[in-house]
Amino acid sequence: DKIKIYGSRVKVDSMDKVAEIEEEEKKKMKAKVEKIKSHGINVFINRQLIYNYPEQLFADAGIMAIEHADFDGVERLSSVTGAELVSTFDHPELVTVGEAELIEEIMIGEQKLIRFSGVKSGSACSIVLRGASTHVLDEAERSLHDALAVLSQTVKETRVTLGGGCAEMLMANAVDKLVPQTEGKKALAIEAFAKALRELPTTLADNGGYDSAELVQQLRVAHHNGESTKGINMDEGILGDMNELGIFESFKLKEHVLLAAAEASEVILRVDSIVKSAPRQREGY
C-alpha cells in the first residue's frame, strides 16, 4: 500500500544514498510480492499501476499481473469469479481466491481487451457496444439497459403477453365492443381509446419500414376472423402467429405503458386553460 506524504523532500549528498533508497524500495516491493505469492495464485489483478520490478518478480513466479483494472469492473469480476477484494496480504488463509478456466487477450476493432472465460458463477457475460459516434453508442446503451430492465422485471412477474401488436389489437377489439352499449359522449371517448391502442401496431410497422396501413388492416381482419394470436412479423413484414414465432412481451411492462399513457391523457384533458406570462421587456432592442 502506498503512503502519500505531501510537501516533503528527501535530500541526499551522493548517488550512493540514492542507490540505498532504491534498494530499500525494492526490498519492500519484493516483500509485498512474496506475501501475494503466498496466496497460491497464478493471476493478480491490481486497480493501480504495477511497477516494472514487481511485474518482473510476478513473471518469474509464473503469475500473470494485470494493472489499471477498472474499479467497477473489478467488483463485477469479483462477484463472478468468487474472488475477494483485498488491500492487505498478511493473512492469505482468510482470503477467498477466485476461479476462471481461461484468461486471454483479445482484439475488438483496434482495442485490446482481457476476457475471462469459465468463471465460477457460470452465468456472467460482457456486452461490447460499438458505433460510429457517441450518440449512436448512447442510444444503443439506453436500449440495452431498457431491455435488461424488462427482463429483470419479467423474472419477478413471469406473466407475458403476445407481442407484434397482437395484444393491442385484442384490447382494441374488446374496447370496441363497449361502444354500441354506451350512451352519450362516453362512447366517443371509448372509440378514441380503441383507436389509440391500434396506433401501437401502426407505429411498430412504421419503425420497420413497412406499409402500416396495409398491415394493420390485415391484422384487424385476422382478429375479426378469430385468429387471435396473429401479430406483425417484423422480420418479413407479414402477419404471423406470435406463439409459433415466440414473440412475447412482459405483462408488467405492458400494464405500465397503458396506465402511464391513460394517466397522461387524463391530465391533459383536465387542463381547461393555460396561464402564460408576458415576455420580459428587453432594453436597447
Side-chain angles (χ1 to χ4, degrees):
D1 296 335
K2 296 180 180 178
I3 300 176
K4 296 182 179 180
I5 303 176
Y6 296 97
S8 62
R9 295 182 179 179
V10 177
K11 293 184 178 181
V12 295
D13 53 9
S14 67
M15 293 302 296
D16 294 337
K17 296 293 185 181
V18 176
E20 291 179 10
I21 293 174
E22 291 180 349
E23 188 63 28
E24 287 297 323
E25 187 178 14
K26 282 187 175 181
K27 288 181 180 179
K28 289 186 177 181
M29 289 182 180
K30 186 174 182 179
K32 178 167 284 191
V33 170
E34 292 297 328
K35 289 181 180 180
I36 296 173
K37 287 166 56 179
S38 65
H39 288 70
I41 60 175
N42 55 8
V43 179
F44 174 67
I45 304 172
N46 193 35
R47 286 174 168 174
Q48 297 176 345
L49 173 70
I50 299 177
Y51 292 106
N52 293 335
Y53 179 64
E55 189 174 14
Q56 178 185 347
L57 295 177
F58 281 129
D60 294 340
I63 298 176
M64 177 192 297
I66 302 173
E67 62 181 4
H68 288 307
D70 178 67
F71 274 70
D72 294 335
V74 166
E75 292 179 355
R76 296 191 185 99
L77 196 60
S78 170
S79 64
V80 299
T81 59
E84 182 180 350
L85 295 177
V86 294
S87 56
T88 58
F89 311 100
D90 297 325
H91 304 285
E93 70 279 358
L94 302 178
V95 177
T96 303
V97 178
E99 299 176 9
E101 294 180 2
L102 178 64
I103 301 176
E104 57 183 338
E105 186 179 70
I106 61 174
M107 289 284 294
I108 298 180
E110 298 179 354
Q111 292 184 334
K112 292 182 179 180
L113 300 175
I114 297 177
R115 181 170 65 185
F116 291 74
S117 306
V119 293
K120 189 174 183 179
S121 67
S123 58
C125 67
S126 298
I127 301 175
V128 180
L129 299 178
R130 299 182 65 197
S133 64
T134 56
H135 175 74
V136 174
L137 283 175
D138 290 342
E139 186 67 21
E141 184 179 1
R142 184 193 65 81
S143 300
L144 182 62
H145 178 272
D146 292 347
L148 293 176
V150 171
L151 287 176
S152 65
Q153 291 299 317
T154 307
V155 172
K156 299 177 183 177
E157 173 59 79
T158 56
R159 288 182 293 176
V160 293
T161 61
L162 295 177
C166 176
E168 288 79 10
M169 192 60 66
L170 286 170
M171 288 185 286
N173 291 339
V175 173
D176 270 336
K177 293 179 181 178
L178 296 176
V179 176
Q181 307 172 15
T182 307
E183 298 180 354
K185 294 181 179 180
K186 289 183 179 180
L188 297 177
I190 295 174
E191 191 174 4
F193 190 82
K195 183 179 179 182
L197 286 171
R198 292 193 183 94
E199 287 298 319
L200 291 172
T202 301
T203 304
L204 189 66
D206 287 336
N207 290 341
Y210 302 119
D211 187 350
S212 59
E214 179 71 22
L215 282 176
V216 172
Q217 185 58 32
Q218 290 179 10
L219 189 59
R220 291 187 67 177
V221 173
H223 279 254
H224 179 74
N225 294 332
E227 299 177 272
S228 59
T229 59
K230 288 289 186 180
I232 300 176
N233 181 352
M234 295 300 294
D235 290 332
E236 302 178 13
I238 59 175
L239 300 185
D241 192 311
M242 298 294 101
N243 272 328
E244 294 180 359
L245 295 174
I247 300 175
F248 303 98
E249 293 184 67
S250 168
F251 172 80
K252 190 76 174 178
L253 174 65
K254 187 68 67 179
E255 183 183 36
H256 174 74
V257 169
L258 285 174
L259 291 178
E263 289 173 2
S265 301
E266 185 177 350
V267 169
I268 294 173
L269 291 173
R270 287 178 181 274
V271 176
D272 52 4
S273 63
I274 299 176
V275 178
K276 188 176 182 181
S277 60
R280 179 171 61 87
Q281 295 295 331
R282 297 186 180 183
E283 298 179 359
Y285 293 94

